Amino acid sequence: MKKVVTFGEIMLRLTAPGYQRFIQSNNLNATFGGGEANVAVSLSNYGIPTDFVTRLPKNDIAEWCISDLRKYNVGVNNIIRGGDRVGIYFLETGAVARASKVIYDRANSAIADIKPGMVDWKEVFKDAQWFHWTGITPAISQGAADACLEAIKVANEMGVTVSTDLNYRKNLWKYGKNVTEVMPALVEGCDIILGNEEDAEKVFGIKPEGFDVAHTGGEVNAAEFESVCTQMMKRFPRAKKVIITLRGSINANHNTWGGCLYSDKLYQSKRYDITHIVDRVGGGDSFMGGLIYGLISYPDDDQKALEFAVAASCLKHTVYGDFNLVTVSEVENLMKGDGSGRVSR
């Protein structure tokens, strides 16, 4: 099977234990995470060969990070080395009415200084079927945006499927360009576009009429987003499928979760009621990993691919850390309706 390539930043994640606030914590739990790396780990768990491309310094923290990726069978041979530091993000996990909080410490990280020409994309894609990137990568720096565009163009030339998760992060766009200046040229080269209920509006000004994410009450109607999908496909005619994740936030520990996919028509997923969230960071990435697996494994069944993505990301909410450490059989069991959580003996 040909591999899936992902490109972006991986960071050291430092998390206050349990539901403690930063000011309470005497220690922080250390793991690694980042949108495209999270997708690669999901796919590796499902048996899809992967290759994660990034830039990391030559130091012990970077070696620790690469070792962690190897542990999950993610390909690391095309990681380029240089720069001075691994980016960091701090996470304070929210509870009930108190939202989670993320603080970034990623300025001048190794990937921020990446430039076109540093990665031999033709070599990277020679045995690839799919390339995935997120809107986080071009938000890091002009160099990262340019390298991402370079990768997309080579993937297009080589017939590699390209997917993106729009992943708008307002706190990252700080290098003098705004999202509307940079993203259109990159998204034009994409075959598959994923976003949440806010991304299309924040990035392209496309939104469903009368929708307010802050006042969903846990109910998000997939049909409201058909117009978003059709507008996106009209603006980006290369796109074959547009997918929207649908999160209804009752509180920080209780969300509803689903999705819709538009190709030849609108497909709507089963809706899950996630009542005791362990960790929602990486939820969208776990959806993307499940979606790529589903579209590769069930190429003629968009409904099944969508259901796999939603079930996979539902399970991610029960797993601590950025990575979704679940198997195909666990996802398929949930798809079949086995959400009892009974002990498997």
Side-chain angles (χ1 to χ4, degrees):
M1 183 184 294
K2 289 188 173 182
K3 67 186 179 184
V4 174
V5 177
T6 70
F7 170 59
E9 181 170 26
I10 187 167
M11 293 169 288
L12 178 66
R13 166 178 151 166
L14 299 176
T15 310
Y19 294 105
Q20 289 184 17
R21 308 215 69 177
F22 290 130
I23 199 168
Q24 294 177 281
S25 302
N26 295 317
N27 57 75
L28 298 170
N29 296 326
T31 54
F32 290 95
E36 298 87 352
N38 299 345
V39 171
V41 171
S42 283
L43 288 165
S44 292
N45 283 334
Y46 304 145
I48 303 283
T50 61
D51 196 354
F52 175 58
V53 181
T54 192
R55 185 171 186 254
L56 290 172
K58 293 182 179 180
N59 63 32
D60 288 350
I61 304 302
E63 294 304 327
W64 175 22
C65 176
I66 290 170
S67 176
D68 202 47
L69 290 168
R70 283 198 181 105
K71 180 170 67 177
Y72 299 113
N73 296 314
V74 173
V76 296
N77 291 337
N78 286 302
I79 292 176
I80 60 172
R81 309 305 290 270
D84 297 321
R85 65 185 300 256
V86 176
I88 302 170
Y89 85 91
F90 298 85
L91 173 65
E92 179 184 279
T93 304
V96 195
R98 176 172 59 85
S100 295
K101 181 184 294 184
V102 169
I103 298 173
Y104 292 119
D105 178 18
R106 58 201 295 183
N108 303 311
S109 63
I111 198 171
D113 294 326
I114 198 168
K115 299 289 188 296
M118 286 187 175
V119 177
D120 185 347
W121 291 110
K122 288 188 177 180
E123 180 67 20
V124 170
F125 292 142
K126 69 179 183 181
D127 55 350
Q129 62 176 317
W130 198 292
F131 173 59
H132 177 68
W133 62 280
T134 81
I136 294 171
T137 300
I140 295 169
S141 68
Q142 185 67 61
D146 292 342
C148 193
L149 182 59
E150 177 187 45
I152 293 165
K153 288 181 175 179
V154 174
N156 290 164
E157 291 169 4
M158 296 178 67
V160 175
T161 298
V162 179
S163 64
T164 185
D165 182 346
L166 298 177
N167 253 345
Y168 176 64
R169 300 288 186 269
K170 64 180 180 180
N171 292 334
L172 289 182
W173 289 89
K174 293 181 177 179
Y175 61 88
K177 292 283 185 72
N178 64 51
V179 65
T180 58
E181 293 177 89
V182 177
M183 285 290 282
L186 283 74
V187 178
E188 283 172 4
C190 293
D191 304 288
I192 310 293
I193 302 172
L194 172 71
N196 66 21
E197 65 275 2
E198 291 185 287
D199 288 332
E201 177 184 356
K202 299 294 186 183
V203 180
F204 302 115
I206 296 172
K207 63 180 180 178
E209 293 297 324
F211 179 78
D212 183 354
V213 67
H215 299 95
T216 62
E219 294 298 326
V220 184
N221 181 6
E224 293 178 346
F225 289 86
E226 183 170 359
S227 67
V228 173
C229 295
T230 56
Q231 287 178 75
M232 287 290 291
M233 292 181 83
K234 184 177 180 179
R235 179 156 183 184
F236 301 105
R238 183 187 178 94
K240 301 175 182 67
K241 304 178 197 296
V242 176
I243 304 93
I244 306 288
T245 57
L246 303 171
R247 184 187 296 276
S249 186
I250 297 166
N251 61 47
N253 302 102
H254 184 185
N255 290 181
T256 63
W257 184 245
C260 61
L261 181 154
Y262 189 88
S263 52
D264 56 322
K265 64 177 185 178
L266 184 70
Y267 297 87
Q268 300 184 41
S269 77
K270 175 181 177 181
R271 188 65 51 85
Y272 292 92
D273 192 32
I274 311 173
T275 56
H276 296 77
I277 294 173
V278 173
D279 193 338
R280 63 166 278 183
V281 176
D285 304 322
S286 63
F287 184 103
M288 191 74 232
L291 180 69
I292 294 172
Y293 174 85
L295 293 174
I296 290 172
S297 302
Y298 323 124
D300 301 317
D301 194 339
D302 283 349
Q303 185 70 51
K304 189 173 182 180
L306 176 64
E307 295 292 357
F308 189 95
V310 175
S313 53
C314 176
L315 288 173
K316 164 61 191 77
H317 289 71
T318 72
V319 179
Y320 177 80
D322 270 51
F323 299 156
N324 192 21
L325 306 177
V326 300
T327 64
V328 170
S329 61
E330 289 171 328
V331 177
E332 289 179 338
N333 285 340
L334 182 57
M335 289 168 66
K336 294 172 187 174
D338 184 4
S340 65
R342 289 173 63 89
V343 177
S344 178
R345 302 181 190 273

